[in-house]
Amino acid sequence: MSGENLTSSEYIKHHLTNLTYGQNPNGSWGIADGSDAAKEMGFWALNIDTMAVSVILGFVFIYFFKKAASTATAGVPGGLQNFVEWVVEFVEDSVKDSFNGRNPLVAPLALTIFVWIILMNTMDLVPVDYLPHLASMMGVPYLKVVPTTDPNLTFAMALGVFFLILFYSIKIKGAGGFFAELAFHPFPKYLMPFNLFLEGVSLISKPISLALRLFGNMYAGEMIFILIALLPLGTQWMLSLPWAIFHILIVVLQAFIFMTLTIVYLSMAHEESH
Amino acid sequence: MNINATLIGQTIAFIMFVWFCMKYVWPPIIAALEERKTKIAEGLAAAERGEKEQKLAEKKATKVMHEARIEASDIIDLANVRAGEMIEEAKGKAVEEVAKVKKGAEVEIEQEVANAREALREEVSVLALSAAEKIIKSEIDANKHKKLIDDVSKQLGAA
């Protein structure tokens, strides 16, 4: 528990509030005080904690993988290289299994998604109070340490994937071909509006489901950690330990699902017909 | 929980990380993996080739040894035959030599015997003559009885 003067709901709220920087309604720029104030800042505000943690973790990924990549040889691999190669081979196998086209972007994209999401999800396993408490001691009022519990991040990744889907659909099939795919399935041509609606929904649902699945799983997991943290000190570990162990599975599984669905969606974008 | 400009920031960060991964992380690792794969494949192929060659060499060695054994037995056979021939030859020569030596010895012996007989006869005849002379010194005239003495000597010689 962070402060004695906090009620449970305030405690939970505090933990679920991003550190948002933007323009206050009164015209001054600064950190929003609570999520309501953040909401009033409108679209042009930045969740500094999400950005910072995700970019730092992205650099962690880049640093270790780049290090392994620049020392990679065909000889006997060392520890880091071995691990990196294992991950790379795992991702490559997944891509080979699900992706039928030829595209040099897909495998690195899948690797980035997989490792980056795992790293961000793993922040969930850091005890819920450590980093926010440390931050508040340093004068930072809010800190949400798990970037994947911020829908901004999950939607950003899902939208990135969605734009790739659109780009490759049009690039491979042509604008007409892509339109035909949306308009002339699953029913005959004279039901085109109905087809467009159906296929449009299924197309739009891809990024939304990607983003919400990851966000929902991690948000719920984090929420349960916070609730457990509200329990009396002696009983916390009885619940937080099993939940953390179970959460290790969620951490990897959600990253894997996001990666696999990205590959599958891009594979569908590369295929000529249904 | 608000959608705000973080969305754009995260999209940019995402694109940058993917780009960096695609440019600098993925290709060298995959290249190393491929290289190792080919290396291992080559190694395995070489091992297989070596095994095959060894088997071939073993087969060849067996064949050569077999041939050598046959040749050796041929040589031994030939040698045996030759040895037999040589022994036979030597035997023949020895028999011939023996016969020659024997003949020579026989001739010599005969010669010796003839010589001895001649010497004996002469001696005997001389002895006989001298004995006869002693006995019949006075009565027999050497001239008168020359014919008789010659006869006797001839008879002795014939004996």
Side-chain angles (χ1 to χ4, degrees):
Chain A
M1 297 244 220
S2 63
E4 274 84 311
N5 52 348
L6 281 178
T7 65
S8 293
S9 74
E10 275 170 343
Y11 174 78
I12 294 170
K13 232 180 204 169
H14 178 264
H15 270 277
L16 294 178
T17 303
N18 280 112
L19 182 69
T20 310
Y21 180 85
Q23 194 178 23
N24 287 309
N26 60 21
S28 66
W29 288 81
I31 306 291
D33 186 24
S35 52
D36 295 332
K39 197 169 271 172
E40 279 167 18
M41 285 175 173
F43 183 75
W44 293 108
L46 203 61
N47 292 346
I48 296 169
D49 48 0
T50 304
M51 285 301 296
V53 174
S54 67
V55 168
I56 288 169
L57 291 175
F59 277 114
V60 168
F61 156 65
I62 288 296
Y63 172 74
F64 282 109
F65 276 64
K66 172 72 184 129
K67 199 175 164 194
S70 46
T71 56
T73 57
V76 179
L80 175 69
Q81 200 196 334
N82 216 344
F83 174 74
V84 167
E85 279 177 7
W86 173 63
V87 175
V88 165
E89 278 192 324
F90 170 73
V91 172
E92 208 199 3
D93 284 347
S94 300
V95 172
K96 272 184 184 157
D97 284 346
S98 327
F99 188 75
N100 301 317
R102 287 187 65 82
N103 191 336
L105 172 69
V106 172
L109 174 73
L111 177 70
T112 309
I113 287 174
F114 184 60
V115 179
W116 199 23
I117 292 181
I118 280 190
L119 287 174
M120 291 190 290
N121 288 355
T122 308
M123 295 306 289
D124 217 356
L125 298 172
V126 179
V128 282
D129 275 333
Y130 275 21
L131 294 176
H133 206 73
L134 197 70
S136 76
M137 286 199 302
M138 285 169 12
V140 179
Y142 299 101
L143 182 65
K144 207 168 149 192
V145 287
V146 189
T148 39
T149 57
D150 184 350
N152 284 302
L153 181 135
T154 60
F155 270 105
M157 291 181 88
L159 281 179
V161 173
F162 183 62
F163 287 135
L164 285 175
I165 293 172
L166 294 182
F167 175 72
Y168 283 113
S169 290
I170 291 168
K171 191 186 170 195
I172 303 287
K173 300 161 192 164
F178 184 42
F179 178 77
E181 193 181 278
L182 294 178
F184 305 140
H185 292 280
F187 297 112
K189 285 184 186 182
Y190 53 85
L191 283 171
M192 196 175 90
F194 192 58
N195 286 337
L196 269 178
F197 173 72
L198 270 184
E199 291 288 326
V201 166
S202 97
L203 185 69
I204 301 291
S205 72
K206 284 173 183 173
I208 292 177
S209 69
L210 266 184
L212 288 184
R213 182 183 303 105
L214 179 59
F215 163 70
N217 270 283
M218 299 323 293
Y219 189 82
E222 178 74 352
M223 180 72 107
I224 288 178
F225 273 122
I226 294 168
L227 291 177
I228 290 170
L230 284 170
L231 292 171
L233 207 58
T235 52
Q236 278 184 20
W237 66 271
M238 289 198 305
L239 287 169
S240 66
L241 179 68
W243 182 245
I245 292 170
F246 175 66
H247 216 71
I248 294 171
L249 175 71
I250 306 285
V251 161
V252 181
L253 190 66
Q254 286 306 319
F256 177 70
I257 289 172
F258 201 111
M259 176 192 80
T260 307
L261 285 179
T262 300
I263 298 167
V264 169
Y265 290 158
L266 284 175
S267 177
M268 283 160 72
H270 280 71
E271 273 159 19
E272 275 295 343
S273 60
H274 273 271
Chain B
M1 278 263 278
N2 312 301
I3 295 293
N4 55 27
T6 313
L7 187 72
I8 296 169
Q10 286 297 337
T11 310
I12 293 168
F14 180 50
I15 290 168
M16 270 168 47
F17 286 133
V18 170
W19 171 80
F20 190 91
C21 179
M22 188 172 103
K23 193 99 181 168
Y24 299 109
V25 173
W26 189 264
I29 293 175
I30 287 297
L33 287 177
E34 285 301 317
E35 201 185 329
R36 183 166 327 126
K37 219 180 268 176
T38 44
K39 245 185 191 175
I40 290 171
E42 272 168 13
L44 287 175
E48 213 165 282
R49 220 178 309 126
E51 216 169 285
K52 216 180 261 173
E53 260 162 32
Q54 198 203 340
K55 254 180 204 164
L56 222 74
E58 255 169 37
K59 219 180 246 176
K60 208 174 168 188
T62 324
K63 203 176 149 196
V64 166
M65 265 165 79
H66 188 70
E67 269 169 13
R69 212 167 281 151
I70 288 175
E71 208 168 313
S73 81
D74 276 0
I75 288 171
I76 289 169
D77 282 355
L78 208 73
N80 278 340
V81 169
R82 185 92 189 86
E85 272 173 8
M86 272 166 85
I87 287 169
E88 284 305 311
E89 214 171 281
K91 247 186 216 166
K93 253 186 200 161
V95 167
E96 236 168 66
E97 198 80 2
V98 165
K100 222 192 241 167
V101 168
K102 213 170 150 190
K103 216 174 182 181
E106 267 171 9
V107 169
E108 210 168 304
I109 286 167
E110 235 164 71
Q111 193 70 38
E112 290 285 309
V113 167
N115 283 352
R117 194 172 282 157
E118 193 65 27
L120 208 63
R121 192 175 52 209
E122 257 165 37
E123 217 162 300
V124 167
S125 65
V126 170
L127 268 176
L129 267 182
S130 74
E133 235 176 31
K134 268 175 186 167
I135 297 165
I136 50 173
K137 188 90 181 183
S138 45
E139 290 155 48
I140 295 172
D141 186 3
N143 291 330
K144 244 183 176 171
H145 301 96
K146 190 177 183 328
K147 199 177 174 289
L148 184 74
I149 291 163
D150 277 349
D151 280 352
V152 169
S153 170
K154 220 177 253 170
Q155 263 169 2
L156 281 167

